[in-house]
Amino acid sequence: MSGLSGLSAAMGPVTFKAACPDCRARFELAASALRLAIGGSRRTTFYSFTCPECGRSVRKPAGERIVELLTGGGVSTLRSV
């Protein structure tokens, strides 16, 4: 995940750049295509999406900066204890 390509509703919808580790496709995803899980540790904090090219479910770790970008961009978030 490399960041936001849109910063506010005035500039258009927020999209996120992503890549699939399986088929190596690169693409942009809307916030609605991503899910963020925030757990109590680094191992349980991740984001996920389905690759639009190959259909694989992708799960990647989400550090502090990624969490900030995704939550600020309106990605659906699940928090666990």
Side-chain angles (χ1 to χ4, degrees):
M1 183 79 38
S2 31
L4 297 173
S5 62
L7 296 177
S8 72
M11 296 176 69
V14 176
T15 58
F16 299 91
K17 293 181 181 179
C20 177
D22 291 322
C23 72
R24 301 193 183 273
R26 295 186 173 277
F27 39 82
E28 291 188 1
L29 296 170
S32 61
L34 293 153
R35 297 289 176 260
L36 174 63
I38 300 176
S41 71
R42 288 180 184 242
R43 293 185 73 196
T44 58
T45 300
F46 61 91
Y47 65 97
S48 61
F49 58 90
T50 300
C51 175
E53 297 294 320
C54 70
R56 299 253 183 183
S57 180
V58 178
R59 177 176 160 164
K60 294 187 175 185
E64 200 172 299
R65 180 68 178 143
I66 297 297
V67 168
E68 184 180 309
L69 289 169
L70 294 176
T71 56
V75 171
S76 177
T77 303
L78 171 67
R79 295 181 187 270
S80 62
V81 184

